[in-house]
Amino acid sequence: MLQEFEGPGCFVKFILNESGIFFFSAQFEHRSMKEDALSYEDNYQGNALAGIVKKHMIEIRNHEAFAMERVQALVLRLREHPELGIVFQTPTYYHGKNL
């Protein structure tokens, strides 16, 4: 996955909730990617957040079902993960606010 960060403007996307995280190529739309217990849909439907990992930051889209505290807890768990922690040490934003 980290190879995706080579070059300017390159990034990967993901969907996320308490059951897990699923990374995929930026060429796909969040709503088209489905994984066990993870589904992002337009208009706040679905049970997962949509996010983008860029070279120097992570953006997580707003979702009505995910309060700021819930998203902060998810990101904290990711930061503590032995394999994902390095990615999520990058400044992470939810609804325009730095977590």
Side-chain angles (χ1 to χ4, degrees):
M1 179 187 77
L2 295 178
Q3 305 87 292
E4 297 278 344
F5 296 108
E6 307 285 329
C10 293
F11 58 90
V12 296
K13 294 181 178 180
F14 63 89
I15 52 177
L16 163 74
N17 66 20
E18 287 83 0
S19 67
I21 188 167
F22 178 61
F23 292 96
F24 52 93
S25 172
Q27 70 185 12
F28 299 103
E29 295 295 327
H30 287 98
R31 67 180 171 270
S32 67
M33 303 306 292
K34 308 291 181 222
E35 187 64 24
D36 292 340
L38 290 168
S39 176
Y40 174 83
E41 304 293 336
D42 291 336
N43 300 316
Y44 307 113
Q45 301 300 307
N47 65 358
L49 293 161
I52 300 172
V53 180
K54 298 181 180 182
K55 193 166 189 158
H56 298 291
M57 69 181 289
I58 296 171
E59 292 180 30
I60 301 173
R61 288 186 187 164
N62 184 47
H63 191 301
E64 289 178 344
F66 289 81
M68 178 67 78
E69 295 78 18
R70 184 176 176 191
V71 178
Q72 287 172 321
L74 284 167
V75 170
L76 180 61
R77 280 184 38 205
L78 291 168
R79 287 181 175 157
E80 293 172 348
H81 190 280
E83 294 175 2
L84 298 175
I86 188 130
V87 174
F88 281 88
Q89 295 307 314
T90 303
T92 304
Y93 295 88
Y94 178 61
H95 199 53
K97 295 185 176 101
N98 192 348
L99 302 175

